Amino acid sequence: MPSKHIAFLILVLAVSVSSAFAQGVGSVPSPVVKPGSSISFSSGFAFGDERDGTAYRVGFRHTISEKFRAGAFIYGNNRGDDFRYRRFEVEGMYQLASSKKGWNSAVRVRGRLPDGNDGAGRLRVSWLNRWRPIERGELRIAGLASKDLGSERREGISLETRAEATWQIRSTIRIGAQVFNRYNTTERIGSFDTQRHSAGGVIKGALTDRLSYRLNALTGVSSAAQDFELRFRISMAL
């Protein structure tokens, strides 16, 4: 798929996002610390929900050393015609293992500072992994554990896993499949259908030497998950 066609698809999604409510903007993160700084814009939106609106995330990341990167993110959403700030998050990521073709691993810690109407604060620890066992193939697996903080906190620890397998079809394009699993909390794991499990496809790559994108479409495979979600992100190296 030519880069100009992908750019057009991103534009179409950005314009159409106002017709759906965003459930998430997350991906299956890379554990690799890259040099320099970057900014990004992300949005995710769901279909089959009675609520209308749009959620956004604007992020900034900066590499401090060969193995450590810091970042900050602002979240907002639309309900009707009104934009509302939701929360601010900061993160730090330390790369534990590095290999061009083998195993890469990192630990990421993220803190959430909500506004007064967005629930509890949160501390999340993620273990991120990436393998490239064959020339064009890549596998990512992430485990996440979150603890709510403050008077509105939920008891227990929230657990989540994510996985992604992609194949390089051109030098600047990868396609593949993703799985997102949210297991509720350790206080109340519940049944499969009370948890949020989604699966789908992803396409990602570079538009220029500084501009990259990711598009993923997910369908719910448990009752508590959204019927269908689209998420996209565009990122620029500074």
Side-chain angles (χ1 to χ4, degrees):
M1 182 182 296
S3 295
K4 63 181 181 180
H5 293 166
I6 296 169
F8 176 74
L9 182 56
I10 291 173
L11 179 61
V12 170
L13 287 173
V15 171
S16 64
V17 71
S18 62
S19 66
F21 176 75
Q23 282 301 114
V25 296
S27 64
V28 185
S30 170
V32 177
V33 173
K34 296 181 179 180
S37 303
S38 66
I39 56 173
S40 62
F41 172 78
S42 306
S43 187
F45 40 104
F47 298 88
D49 198 304
E50 294 180 355
R51 298 170 295 178
D52 291 329
T54 308
Y56 310 97
R57 185 183 73 185
V58 177
F60 171 78
R61 288 186 168 111
H62 176 69
T63 297
I64 296 174
S65 69
E66 185 177 309
K67 294 186 176 181
F68 184 75
R69 185 187 72 198
F73 306 88
I74 295 174
Y75 291 76
N77 70 9
N78 276 25
R79 291 290 180 85
D81 296 327
D82 298 324
F83 175 82
R84 187 173 72 132
Y85 162 77
R86 296 304 299 267
R87 63 185 183 271
F88 176 72
E89 293 184 351
V90 294
E91 73 170 25
M93 189 178 87
Y94 183 79
Q95 187 167 352
L96 303 171
S98 176
S99 173
K100 288 185 178 180
K101 295 185 178 180
W103 176 51
N104 289 269
S105 184
V107 171
R108 188 181 72 184
V109 178
R110 182 175 287 186
R112 167 182 170 178
L113 302 173
D115 75 352
N117 299 312
D118 199 30
R122 179 174 296 173
L123 181 67
R124 169 177 284 176
V125 179
S126 306
W127 184 28
L128 313 178
N129 299 275
R130 188 191 78 177
W131 293 267
R132 287 183 171 173
I134 54 180
E135 183 178 355
R136 295 189 178 187
E138 179 181 283
L139 176 65
R140 295 183 183 184
I141 298 176
L144 304 88
S146 306
K147 176 64 177 176
D148 284 358
L149 306 171
S151 59
E152 298 184 40
R153 67 183 181 275
R154 294 183 299 173
E155 297 301 323
I157 297 173
S158 300
L159 301 174
E160 183 177 351
T161 58
R162 304 175 186 177
E164 175 185 281
T166 59
W167 184 262
Q168 186 180 40
I169 59 171
R170 290 180 55 182
S171 60
T172 58
I173 301 176
R174 302 189 74 90
I175 62 171
Q178 295 180 325
V179 177
F180 290 77
N181 304 292
R182 300 180 69 176
Y183 304 100
N184 297 325
T185 72
T186 54
E187 289 291 304
R188 190 177 180 181
I189 294 292
S191 66
F192 180 86
D193 275 328
T194 64
Q195 301 167 358
R196 296 180 183 178
H197 300 278
S198 301
V202 61
I203 179 171
K204 60 184 180 179
L207 295 171
T208 69
D209 58 350
R210 297 176 58 194
L211 199 62
S212 61
Y213 67 93
R214 185 204 73 235
L215 296 168
N216 49 324
L218 302 170
T219 184
V221 294
S222 64
S223 296
Q226 289 292 328
D227 292 340
F228 183 69
E229 289 185 74
L230 284 174
R231 303 177 183 181
F232 77 93
R233 183 186 68 190
I234 189 161
S235 181
M236 183 175 69
L238 301 178

